[in-house]
């Protein structure tokens, strides 16, 4: 059977990075039963038997997916080898002209220890589709009765979507967006860097809309633009009947946020809430079709904000424990995600220093606005900026911004930006002692809390008082004192003076100390270290497409 491409498939054709997942499975698993179950799933979902031409998807009446079964001999580096096999599975390019566009591997390390890996081209699946696939796989593996067949196949959906989104119906849907996006600015662009993922914490009561508003404040300050368009991911499954269908539906809606004409964060928050709710209620027109019809630069790979973390599908087999491995996602230049219990994640493809500044600034804005919602936007604090590494423009409303001057500014105010504590910073090129670093850190944290109570080396800093804004200021003071950048996620995850002093001390350690540490290792320990470093390098190169 031949069908037209859906709009999601048209968008995904040129994307090289596949969707992938991997999980460690501990317990008795029957590889033959897994193969039979996979055959059932492929028979149930025609998109898994589909190949592609330039303009069509061609569904084969039958087909199958070979499970790549690898048995490792049982060595000290088996875990690294298994994870490298999973990375290779995802890194291998797909030929869209040949089905199936799905791969599955099972790497066996022992009778009850395996790594399950799956990779699919985005032209046949999205994250929700992988979840459906794995749920169907679990049912088929158990041998239970299959769920009712989906009301339509994905090819039928593509045909229905094409018929629906044209003529008068399309014009009706576009009328809303013409009004919302009239004279919209082009997508923001940022210089690419090595990328990575950062986490931070905000008060648990912080709503996703507050995070989005703070994100807009920081982006406006950085770019000097008062008018921003931020992509918000949506499932694309606009009807409940689409939920059991395997195929790509995921999309994004543009949320237009303007900081112009708003004097306080509370006013901006109301504006952002209305903009987000309205956009999410009008999610039927695919983003690329919207850009095409309106002649606008709308993309979901520049700046994104997600109201919740993406679903992480995992295999569920009887008697088997699953532990999902994190898989790097090829998302957007800046991809901020509101998580649970105040955890915020920023995945990025920019300079890590800029990403850390941006996330820290979002945290600072959220905390300040939480304490005083009527704070003028121009008075919301950002993470301090040293030099011109991450320039910030004057606030777009024309009001002065409140950030610290550069380090060489002769007019620095001691009242608002205290100098490092005397005697504890390195002098004359020497390296400070670990005890000295701990003493300095404890005094800085106590000063920021305005307390005379001593801070112990192993006290939980957040348990003693303060929050993420205190951590932002603490990191700035440590950078002043030692020239070492303390990552925000390290402060959040290791909030003790002892742990943070160890990090700073290691950063300041001369190369001779590192060499001395290596010299103290035995040959066997050096071999283990070398294997671990080599495996990490290979996984990183594979993830980045480096074939060296």
């Amino acid at each position: 059977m031949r069908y037209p491409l859906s709009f999601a498939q048209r968008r995904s054709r040129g994307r090289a990075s596949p969707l992938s997942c991997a999980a460690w499975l501990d317990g008795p698993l029957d590889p033959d039963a897994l193969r039979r179950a996979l055959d059932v799933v492929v028979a149930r979902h025609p998109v898994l038997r589909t190949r592609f031409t330039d303009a069509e998807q061609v569904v084969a009446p039958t087909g199958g997916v070979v499970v790549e079964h690898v048995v490792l001999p049982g060595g000290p580096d088996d875990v690294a080898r298994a994870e490298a096999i999973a990375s290779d599975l995802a890194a291998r390019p797909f030929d869209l002209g040949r089905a199936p566009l799905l791969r599955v591997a099972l790497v066996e390390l022992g009778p009850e220890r395996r790594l399950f890996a799956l990779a699919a081209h985005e032209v046949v699946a999205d994250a929700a589709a992988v979840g459906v696939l794995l749920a169907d796989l679990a049912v088929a593996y158990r041998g239970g009765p299959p769920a009712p067949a989906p009301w339509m196949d994905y090819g039928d959906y593509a045909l229905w979507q094409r018929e629906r989104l044209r003529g008068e119906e399309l014009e009706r849907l576009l009328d809303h967006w013409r009004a919302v996006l009239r004279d919209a600015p082009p997508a923001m662009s940022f210089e690419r860097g090595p990328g990575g993922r950062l986490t931070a914490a905000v008060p648990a009561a912080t709503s996703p809309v507050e995070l989005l508003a703070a994100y807009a404040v920081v982006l406006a300050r950085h770019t000097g633009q008062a008018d921003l368009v931020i992509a918000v991911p949506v499932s694309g499954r606009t009807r409940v009947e689409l939920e059991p269908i395997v195929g790509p539906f995921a999309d994004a809606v543009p949320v237009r946020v303007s900081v112009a004409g708003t004097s306080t964060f509370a006013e901006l928050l109301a504006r952002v809430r209305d903009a987000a709710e309205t956009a999410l209620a009008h999610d039927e027109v695919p983003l690329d079709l919207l850009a095409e019809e309106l002649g606008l630069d709308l993309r979901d790979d520049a700046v994104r904000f997600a109201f919740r973390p993406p679903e992480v599908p995992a295999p569920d087999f009887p008697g088997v424990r699953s532990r999902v491995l994190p898989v790097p996602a090829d998302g957007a230049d800046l991809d901020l995600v509101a998580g649970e219990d105040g955890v915020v994640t920023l995945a990025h493809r920019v300079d890590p220093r800029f990403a850390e500044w941006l996330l820290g600034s979002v945290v600072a804005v959220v905390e300040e606005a939480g304490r005083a919602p009527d704070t003028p936007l121009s008075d919301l604090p950002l993470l301090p900026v040293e030099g011109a590494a991450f320039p910030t423009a004057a606030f777009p409303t024309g009001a002065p911004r409140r950030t610290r001057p550069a380090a060489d500014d002769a007019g620095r105010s001691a009242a608002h930006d205290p100098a490092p504590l005397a005697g504890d910073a390195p002098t004359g090129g020497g390296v400070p002692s670990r005890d000295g670093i701990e003493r300095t850190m404890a005094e800085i944290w106590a000063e920021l809390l305005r307390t005379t109570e001593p801070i112990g080396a192993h006290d939980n800093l957040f348990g003693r008082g303060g929050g993420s804004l205190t951590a932002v200021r603490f990191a700035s003071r440590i950078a002043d004192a030692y020239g070492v950048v303390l990552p925000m996620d390290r402060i959040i995850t290791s909030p003790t003076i002892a742990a943070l002093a160890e990090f700073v001390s290691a950063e300041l350690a001369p190369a001779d100390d590192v060499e001395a540490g290596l010299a103290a290792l035995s040959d066997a320990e050096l071999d283990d270290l070398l294997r671990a470093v080599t495996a990490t390098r290979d996984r990183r190169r594979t993830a980045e497409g480096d074939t060296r």
Side-chain angles (χ1 to χ4, degrees), residues 36-101:
R36 291 192 295 270
L38 188 58
D39 288 340
V40 171
V41 172
V42 173
R44 176 179 170 82
H45 297 288
V47 75
L48 302 178
R49 309 190 304 271
T50 300
R51 63 180 177 85
F52 293 83
T53 67
D54 289 340
E56 290 183 313
Q57 50 181 316
V58 183
V59 181
T62 60
V65 174
V66 175
V67 177
E68 302 179 22
H69 190 189
V70 180
V71 179
L72 296 180
D77 59 347
D78 274 2
V79 170
R81 290 179 62 188
E83 293 183 358
I85 290 170
S87 297
D88 175 71
L89 190 81
R92 276 184 267 152
F94 283 100
D95 178 358
L96 296 184
R98 298 182 63 184
L101 298 175

Side-chain angles (χ1 to χ4, degrees), residues 9 45 47 122-130 154 237 245-250:
Q9 287 175 324
H45 297 288
V47 75
E122 289 185 39
V123 80
V124 298
D126 57 19
V130 172
Y154 189 82
R237 296 170 187 258
I245 301 175
V246 170
F249 293 88

Side-chain angles (χ1 to χ4, degrees), residues 518-539:
L518 291 175
L521 297 177
S522 68
D523 288 349
E525 290 171 327
L526 285 170
D527 288 341
D528 289 343
L529 178 61
L530 179 60
R531 280 194 294 268
V533 170
T534 302
T536 301
R537 181 203 62 192
D538 291 345
R539 286 197 298 274

Side-chain angles (χ1 to χ4, degrees), residues 246-297:
V246 170
F249 293 88
D251 203 356
V253 292
V255 175
R256 188 173 187 180
V257 178
S258 175
V259 301
T262 52
S263 59
T264 68
F265 187 83
E267 292 175 6
L268 177 64
L269 183 61
R271 180 180 291 186
V272 170
R273 180 178 290 109
D274 180 67
E277 290 177 351
T278 302
L280 292 170
H282 294 79
D283 63 347
E284 283 201 67
V285 183
L287 187 67
D288 58 333
L289 179 61
L290 198 58
E292 185 180 295
E293 291 289 333
L294 302 186
L296 295 173
D297 179 16

Side-chain angles (χ1 to χ4, degrees), residues 2 15 57 149 169 322 331 339 344 376:
R2 292 177 177 267
R15 295 188 176 179
Q57 50 181 316
E169 178 64 12
S322 295
V344 185

Side-chain angles (χ1 to χ4, degrees), residues 153-294:
D153 295 331
Y154 189 82
D156 297 320
Y157 161 76
L159 188 60
W160 172 83
Q161 184 191 46
R162 289 285 183 169
E163 289 292 329
R164 175 172 169 74
L165 295 179
R166 66 177 187 174
E168 293 182 2
E169 178 64 12
L170 178 59
E171 288 302 311
R172 181 186 70 80
L173 295 170
L174 289 174
D175 283 345
H176 164 79
W177 289 110
R178 287 193 178 98
V180 170
L181 297 174
R182 181 176 294 113
D183 301 322
M188 288 173 275
S189 61
F190 300 89
E191 184 175 345
R192 291 285 178 89
R197 182 182 298 270
L198 302 171
T199 59
V202 295
T206 303
S207 71
V209 174
E210 289 175 285
L211 275 173
L212 177 55
Y215 195 29
V217 168
V218 177
L219 289 169
R221 180 78 59 84
H222 172 70
T223 63
Q225 292 180 216
D227 193 8
L228 310 168
V229 177
I230 299 172
V232 172
V234 293
S235 72
R237 296 170 187 258
T238 55
R239 287 167 168 73
V240 68
E241 297 93 337
L242 301 177
E243 291 180 1
I245 301 175
V246 170
F249 293 88
D251 203 356
V253 292
V255 175
R256 188 173 187 180
V257 178
S258 175
V259 301
T262 52
S263 59
T264 68
F265 187 83
E267 292 175 6
L268 177 64
L269 183 61
R271 180 180 291 186
V272 170
R273 180 178 290 109
D274 180 67
E277 290 177 351
T278 302
L280 292 170
H282 294 79
D283 63 347
E284 283 201 67
V285 183
L287 187 67
D288 58 333
L289 179 61
L290 198 58
E292 185 180 295
E293 291 289 333
L294 302 186

